[in-house]
Amino acid sequence: MDFRRLAEPAGLLYGTAAQDAVRRGLALPLAGGPAAFSCVDLIEDRTHSGFLPVGDVPAGWQDVLARLVAKPPAAGMPEGPQVMGILNITPDSFSDGGQHRDAERAVQAGLMQIAGGAGVLDIGGESTRPGAAVVTSEEEWQRIGPVVHGLKQQKPEAVLSIDTRNSTVMAQALAAGADVINDVSALTHDPDALPLLAGERCGVVLMHMRGTPATMARHAVYEDVACDVVRELGARLTAAIEAGLAPERLSVDPGLGFAKNTDQNLTLLSRLPLLANLGCRVVLGLSRKRMIGDVTGVQDPAGRDAGTQAASLEALPLGQSVLRVHAVEGMVQALRVWQRVHTV
């Protein structure tokens, strides 16, 4: 696909207003609904048309417009908006490092997240915060392997995502029953990852990042952060598809906090509908991050759950969004209230 040409949806409508506007030809459903968009900015390279009504979009742009309308595939996760519970099996993650190092405690924490409404659990054994210690693939699997096995034994139907950059960990996790691979490097870190996953059927999350967790801060320079992130994710989608991964297996994460400062994160968050150009399910992971602290003044990451919930709701107009958070129950409550207000 040609991601030089993007269409940015705006003028969002919900509920009966969205349905009425779509019926009258004044709006189009966004990513399958429930939201609809009534205007759009056509972007070619760095040239913008300015926002115009959807009915005024030229014929030559209808293929781009169609990408915004299509409902994204499930990509290995349950249908509909979902809360993804974070389960870090690390000593040094920025918010919950060390809390789940004991496998039995981690399994119980995961079961509690499922009971609290998590549709997916995201299990990680390597911290990707700036300055985090590098761990070997062997140590990473020693951390998460018993947790994956324990959860699958006690809750076979649980949908498990594995947060890893390493192909050997991916292979072992998939053999143990994992459903999704969530790679912060978008399958650039390990050259064996793409060919491995091409032979599997699992869902795959491609996250936007520049550099590595150790170097990403120096790469936070963008001409237009929203367009640049969409186009760079588009390049990774193309690489994955060309390597043999079916498009319906792929979802994307804009990577808030990775090679982006607070202002860039907030700009990207305010323009999330632009991600609909990729035709993929969106995973949004901003739980307890520094940007929440910068906006609210809350220094302790554990105190940022309310800000996390407010910010995460920005992804819900995209329909199939997955909200990746530490505190599952509060996010589930916020999601259900949003759905009740915004859907018919």
Side-chain angles (χ1 to χ4, degrees), residues 53-305:
V54 293
D56 292 348
V57 174
W61 282 81
Q62 291 301 316
D63 59 333
V64 180
L65 208 59
R67 296 204 302 254
L68 304 182
V69 172
K71 179 183 176 181
M77 293 176 278
E79 289 280 354
Q82 298 294 328
V83 173
M84 173 187 277
I86 298 170
L87 198 58
N88 286 322
I89 321 300
T90 60
D92 56 348
S93 290
F94 78 97
S95 174
D96 56 355
Q99 290 184 16
H100 304 132
R101 291 195 69 183
D102 175 76
E104 172 123 1
R105 184 181 301 173
V107 168
Q108 292 306 310
L111 293 173
M112 288 179 63
Q113 288 184 333
I114 293 170
V120 190
L121 297 183
D122 193 46
I123 304 167
E126 178 190 26
S127 174
T128 51
R129 65 173 178 79
V134 176
V135 300
T136 65
S137 296
E138 292 77 15
E139 184 178 357
E140 186 181 354
W141 180 246
Q142 285 172 5
R143 291 175 177 179
I144 70 173
V147 181
V148 175
H149 285 295
L151 284 165
K152 279 296 181 182
Q153 184 176 34
Q154 295 197 43
K155 197 81 171 175
E157 70 275 20
V159 179
L160 304 185
S161 166
I162 307 302
D163 181 359
T164 184
R165 304 180 290 166
N166 297 307
S167 63
T168 56
V169 176
M170 295 176 189
Q172 292 174 99
L174 292 171
D179 305 277
V180 177
I181 297 299
N182 180 11
D183 185 349
V184 298
S185 79
L187 304 180
T188 62
H189 173 75
D190 186 334
D192 294 327
L194 266 173
L196 166 74
L197 294 175
E200 300 285 349
R201 295 184 176 182
C202 62
V204 178
V205 183
L206 304 174
M207 195 195 81
H208 180 270
M209 179 173 63
R210 292 175 172 178
T212 67
T215 67
M216 60 187 175
R218 72 185 70 157
H219 297 288
V221 179
Y222 300 88
E223 187 170 341
D224 180 326
V225 65
C227 289
D228 291 350
V229 166
V230 169
R231 288 179 172 134
E232 290 169 26
L233 278 172
R236 294 311 303 155
L237 284 170
T238 299
I241 293 166
E242 289 178 349
L245 278 75
E248 60 267 20
R249 295 173 54 195
L250 302 173
S251 52
V252 295
D253 181 336
L256 294 181
F258 287 81
K260 300 164 194 73
N261 61 35
T262 291
D263 287 342
Q264 291 162 346
N265 288 325
L266 293 170
T267 296
L268 187 52
L269 190 63
S270 73
R271 297 176 66 190
L272 283 182
L274 192 63
L275 289 167
N277 283 271
L278 299 172
C280 292
R281 193 168 201 172
V282 172
V283 177
L284 187 67
L286 47 70
S287 185
R288 300 178 177 176
K289 288 190 174 177
R290 179 180 298 173
M291 60 172 285
I292 305 293
D294 288 345
V295 171
T296 64
V298 177
Q299 298 304 307
D300 181 5
R304 298 172 183 165
D305 289 332

Side-chain angles (χ1 to χ4, degrees), residues 29-54:
L30 176 62
F37 61 100
S38 57
C39 22
V40 66
D41 182 17
L42 306 179
I43 307 167
E44 187 159 11
D45 294 321
R46 299 297 179 185
T47 302
H48 294 247
S49 68
F51 287 99
L52 63 154
V54 293

